[in-house]
Amino acid sequence: MAESVCRSLRDGVLEGELAPALTIKDSLSSPFGFNVFSHILVQLSSHIVAGKSQSRGMVIVSLSRSPSSYTGLLKMNGVDVESSKKWIHILDCYTDPLGWKDKTRKSGDIMDPSNQILSSYKTVKDVNKLFSVICDLGRGLVGENKSRFCVAIDSLSELMRHSSMQPVASLLSNLRSHDQISSIFGLLHSDLHEERALAAVEYTSSIVASVDPFHHSVDGQGSYIRNSSEPNLTKGKLNIRSKRRNGRVRVTCEEFKVGPSGISFAPVSAVDGAAVAGLIPKVQFNLQLSEKELVDRSRVVLPFEHQGNGKPIQIYDGRRSLEESNNETTPISGGKKEDSGRGEIIYFRDSDDEMPDSDEDPDDDLDI
């Protein structure tokens, strides 16, 4: 399912809609969020180089790692870095995010003339200015036409540490609504923030990928039990929640394994798949029937089955058919009418003062 996320970011945005935004969440119990982030970064870069992506460029906002680590990552995975200056730009917010190392310079944005894919940003607290810088760098890659670029933010947690929740949420919303941005993805460390901050970031995201620790299902009842004495530092589960364009939400899960060659994904095993299905919220009543209850239910005679005695059942709808009315004969014997088997209504007036039914209008004498 990680590949489906990559395809969604690759295909980009439809006309008149917001750009797809992916938030990758991890925690201290499963610190593999950057591995997932790197996998998506490499896959999307390969699509851009091959011309298979809607975006024609990429802006990487480097907050938690040095820019050189990304060039090394791309080169190690076979991405052509020599031509990267045509489609990638790294905004260095890692080296000096607050401008303390270079107080003599007045400008917060420094362009390295020897490296055309790198520029420094030294005022991370100013999120509004960061949005303008990202857009300017993206337009420098794809031009002022209708071409689009994607944005990768390696640590939303660092942004919220230097700024606050509301400006970061506004930044993501403004990036999604920009007419030249095709997709956005970023990494968030969930155990560093309050629930309301996580909810705000998830609200502005169309896809949320949660990196959870690998649990072993050992009780056979679909519940997760983890042996804390044997921490698993190479495996985990990726739970993906995608908001579709029709308003529905799709939830998927798959396993991943981190090795020397990178991260690999695989479908959830049959045992753990049953455990995932067992995570449905429990209720106070049973939603399923036992075999005995199924047999008892099949023996219940429904109301419309009480008649017929083996003959074809005819359900009376309250009306007499024309054919029955024409064929019906009323035999008369001795001046007495035989019982036809049908009921009749006998009406008694409450008093003699009650006027009998008449076709005359009782209010005919009123002058209105």
Side-chain angles (χ1 to χ4, degrees):
M1 297 304 168
E3 300 306 320
S4 64
V5 174
C6 293
R7 287 195 301 269
S8 178
L9 298 178
R10 178 199 66 187
D11 296 340
V13 60
L14 295 177
E15 191 68 29
E17 294 188 0
L18 297 177
L22 166 66
T23 297
I24 305 168
K25 295 195 313 178
D26 69 351
S27 61
L28 188 61
S29 59
S30 185
F32 301 113
F34 185 75
N35 299 88
V36 179
F37 177 86
S38 301
H39 175 78
I40 295 175
L41 177 66
V42 171
Q43 293 294 319
L44 196 54
S45 299
S46 301
H47 292 315
I48 294 175
V49 173
K52 298 179 180 179
S53 174
Q54 184 189 55
S55 58
R56 293 294 178 260
M58 176 185 294
V59 176
I60 302 177
V61 182
S62 175
L63 287 151
S64 63
R65 281 171 171 76
S66 63
S68 60
S69 64
Y70 292 106
T71 56
L73 175 67
L74 296 175
K75 185 181 296 185
M76 184 178 61
N77 287 273
V79 180
D80 186 10
V81 182
E82 297 299 329
S83 64
S84 59
K85 61 183 179 180
K86 300 178 181 178
W87 59 269
I88 191 172
H89 198 101
I90 302 176
L91 183 60
D92 182 12
C93 302
Y94 171 79
T95 304
D96 191 11
L98 300 179
W100 291 348
K101 296 181 181 179
D102 195 4
K103 295 182 180 180
T104 60
R105 296 179 181 271
K106 296 181 180 181
S107 175
D109 305 328
I110 303 176
M111 187 74 181
D112 187 358
S114 63
N115 193 344
Q116 298 182 6
I117 69 170
L118 177 64
S119 60
S120 299
Y121 185 73
K122 299 178 182 294
T123 54
V124 178
K125 289 184 177 181
D126 192 349
V127 179
N128 293 328
K129 186 178 179 182
L130 177 62
F131 169 72
S132 300
V133 172
I134 293 174
C135 295
D136 292 340
L137 293 177
R139 281 192 290 265
L141 293 173
V142 301
E144 296 288 346
N145 51 16
K146 294 184 178 181
S147 298
R148 297 178 181 269
F149 62 93
C150 62
V151 180
I153 305 175
D154 65 358
S155 181
L156 295 171
S157 298
E158 288 291 331
L159 271 181
M160 284 194 281
R161 185 170 71 90
H162 293 299
S163 182
S164 60
M165 174 194 66
Q166 185 173 357
V168 174
S170 299
L171 171 66
L172 296 177
S173 180
N174 292 334
L175 289 174
R176 291 192 66 190
S177 58
H178 194 274
D179 56 359
Q180 282 193 279
I181 293 180
S182 63
S183 59
I184 312 160
F185 61 101
L187 176 60
L188 180 69
H189 305 299
S190 59
D191 47 1
L192 299 181
H193 308 283
E194 299 178 353
E195 289 295 333
R196 64 188 187 94
L198 298 177
V201 175
E202 292 181 11
Y203 179 78
T204 58
S205 305
S206 58
I207 307 173
V208 178
S210 301
V211 182
D212 298 326
F214 187 83
H215 296 292
H216 299 278
S217 178
V218 298
D219 60 348
Q221 300 296 327
S223 60
Y224 282 131
I225 298 177
R226 184 183 181 186
N227 188 357
S228 59
S229 63
E230 298 180 1
N232 198 323
L233 300 180
T234 60
K235 293 183 178 181
K237 288 185 179 294
L238 186 66
N239 295 305
I240 301 172
R241 188 174 74 252
S242 305
K243 302 175 186 176
R244 296 186 175 182
R245 293 185 175 93
N246 57 7
R248 295 183 179 180
V249 178
R250 181 187 180 189
V251 180
T252 56
C253 178
E254 65 180 349
E255 299 175 2
F256 66 84
K257 184 176 181 180
V258 179
S261 59
I263 188 171
S264 59
F265 299 89
V268 178
S269 60
V271 176
D272 290 327
V276 173
L279 293 178
I280 300 175
K282 296 182 179 180
V283 294
Q284 300 297 327
F285 51 87
N286 188 11
L287 298 177
Q288 297 180 351
L289 298 177
S290 63
E291 293 184 3
K292 182 179 182 300
E293 291 172 338
L294 290 173
V295 173
D296 293 341
R297 187 181 68 174
S298 63
R299 293 177 179 176
V300 174
V301 181
L302 299 178
F304 61 86
E305 296 178 342
H306 290 173
Q307 54 182 329
N309 297 326
K311 299 179 181 179
I313 301 174
Q314 297 180 355
I315 301 177
Y316 178 61
D317 62 354
R319 296 173 296 177
R320 295 174 59 188
S321 65
L322 181 61
E323 182 180 357
E324 292 178 352
S325 177
N326 295 334
N327 296 335
E328 186 181 57
T329 57
T330 306
I332 300 176
S333 176
K336 294 183 179 180
K337 183 168 66 174
E338 294 183 358
D339 187 6
S340 62
R342 299 183 182 275
E344 58 181 359
I345 299 176
I346 302 176
Y347 173 70
F348 296 95
R349 290 184 300 188
D350 293 338
S351 64
D352 295 337
D353 296 336
E354 185 177 352
M355 298 296 295
D357 294 338
S358 175
D359 295 335
E360 298 179 359
D361 187 0
D363 299 328
D364 192 27
D365 56 338
L366 296 179
D367 186 10
I368 298 177

